[in-house]
Amino acid sequence: MGEHTTQAMTVRRMNFGFTPDMERVFVKDDPDTSYTFLGTWMMLPYLEPYLIRTMRQALPHIREPQLKEDLKRFCAQEGEHFKQHAIVNEMIRDLVPGFAALKPIELELDAEFKSFSKEKPLKFNLAYAEGFESMTSALSRAQLETGMFDRTDSPLADLAKWHIMEEIEHRTVAFDIYEHVVGSYPYRLRIGLWAQSHFIKWGTRLAKTMKDADPETMARFQQPEVVAARKKFNAHFWRRGLPRLAQTYSPWYDPRKVDLPDAFQIARNRYSELATALA
């Protein structure tokens, strides 16, 4: 299996100081992207417990002690992620009357992920987890590299940056466990692509619900010079994100060999210090 990642995986318990009046447009001057993130974040209190269930189901099949430890730390990090997102989701859901329409969608999604755990074979759930984790790791690297969350002081930007840093930190775990238990590249690719489209479908549905319910926020930041700057930044981001995502579809993909931006280590140090100070 090669080198594992436990030494670099820290379980951080954070306090971001969320408040109802925090700026929801936490990607600078970009309400569309901000609400796209917020929509997908509504999924996380259901998606991340599903990932944890999947890893725990795989645990009896793991023969390597170090990989078992990696699995446990992965689950601990993901547990902290969905707890933080559940806190902020509850707060945001109460800010706009139309956001009440989110909860029935969330419950529908929760039921689907629970059905995956009960009805799908372990190899499907492991391939879903790996497809999701490889996508988030690739795009997280581009987000850190371009400083996507460094341009506002909203606690939501801090939440995003902490989360994506840890996605990169545990980037090898779902891949290693899939390879250890299943190991089929064609199946990984097929189910991984399906998982990514599944995530995007649900995230888009939730984000659209939020955007439709809050036209005032969506109408902000529409000055021509702001729109031009936004388009330039987004093009800059996707020029870095798409090649990194494409790497993950290769039969030779290895998450240990991907390039990591300097901002990753800076963020890792920062949030480790904040978590220690709050402990």
Side-chain angles (χ1 to χ4, degrees):
M1 293 294 297
E3 179 188 357
H4 293 298
T5 58
T6 302
Q7 295 82 355
M9 293 169 60
T10 301
V11 181
R12 302 170 183 84
R13 292 175 173 84
M14 308 299 296
N15 181 357
F16 292 104
F18 304 123
T19 61
D21 61 350
M22 62 190 166
E23 177 57 72
R24 295 198 295 280
V25 181
F26 65 96
V27 179
K28 182 177 172 61
D29 295 341
D30 195 339
D32 187 74
T33 299
S34 296
Y35 268 129
T36 296
F37 276 111
L38 291 174
T40 60
W41 288 0
M42 290 289 163
M43 299 176 63
L44 298 183
Y46 317 105
L47 169 55
E48 290 180 317
Y50 161 68
L51 299 178
I52 292 170
R53 290 193 301 270
T54 297
M55 293 300 156
R56 288 175 176 166
Q57 288 169 4
L59 188 57
H61 302 273
I62 304 299
R63 297 177 297 278
E64 296 184 14
Q66 188 61 66
L67 188 53
K68 288 183 180 182
E69 180 63 23
D70 289 351
L71 181 153
K72 292 173 183 176
R73 292 195 180 213
F74 172 94
C75 290
Q77 283 194 337
E78 294 289 24
E80 291 301 314
H81 294 174
F82 84 76
K83 289 174 189 175
Q84 291 292 339
H85 285 285
I87 292 168
V88 79
N89 289 358
E90 193 69 29
M91 191 175 292
I92 288 173
R93 205 183 290 112
D94 291 338
L95 296 181
V96 177
F99 286 179
L102 292 166
K103 197 62 181 181
I105 303 173
E106 294 174 54
L107 294 175
E108 185 183 346
L109 174 67
D110 187 29
E112 183 162 25
F113 278 126
K114 286 176 177 174
S115 76
F116 288 173
S117 295
K118 291 178 182 177
E119 299 167 13
K120 296 287 188 181
L122 178 60
K123 69 175 185 176
F124 172 91
N125 292 323
L126 288 174
Y128 188 110
E130 198 289 321
F132 174 75
E133 289 292 319
S134 62
M135 176 181 68
T136 55
S137 171
L139 297 181
S140 293
R141 286 153 53 212
Q143 288 158 10
L144 280 180
E145 184 180 18
T146 58
M148 178 175 282
F149 304 119
D150 295 338
R151 301 173 300 150
T152 70
D153 59 3
S154 172
L156 296 175
D158 236 4
L159 169 65
K161 193 170 181 180
W162 162 74
H163 191 154
I164 65 171
M165 177 274 294
E166 291 196 348
E167 289 297 311
I168 297 170
E169 202 172 58
H170 66 226
R171 68 193 179 278
T172 65
V173 180
F175 178 87
D176 284 348
I177 291 171
Y178 176 84
E179 290 295 307
H180 189 85
V181 177
V182 184
S184 165
Y185 166 70
Y187 190 80
R188 173 175 79 81
L189 182 64
R190 178 166 65 87
I191 302 303
L193 286 169
W194 185 90
Q196 292 168 14
S197 67
H198 178 264
F199 173 79
I200 292 167
K201 178 192 76 173
W202 280 98
T204 300
R205 182 178 171 190
L206 288 157
K208 184 178 186 301
T209 300
M210 299 182 80
K211 293 172 189 178
D212 289 349
D214 191 7
E216 290 185 5
T217 295
M218 294 305 299
R220 292 164 60 194
F221 313 110
Q222 299 306 319
Q223 303 89 338
E225 66 277 11
V226 172
V227 172
R230 181 163 65 233
K231 289 181 178 178
K232 182 178 180 181
F233 178 85
N234 288 339
H236 173 59
F237 165 74
W238 286 112
R239 278 196 301 271
R240 282 153 179 76
L242 289 176
R244 285 161 174 72
L245 184 59
Q247 277 184 319
T248 69
Y249 304 138
S250 166
W252 300 282
Y253 169 64
D254 182 345
R256 284 178 181 74
K257 296 179 180 178
V258 300
D259 59 304
L260 299 180
D262 293 340
F264 166 66
Q265 187 60 51
I266 295 169
R268 183 162 60 174
N269 292 344
R270 177 171 184 261
Y271 291 110
S272 292
E273 290 169 5
L274 286 174
T276 300
L278 292 165

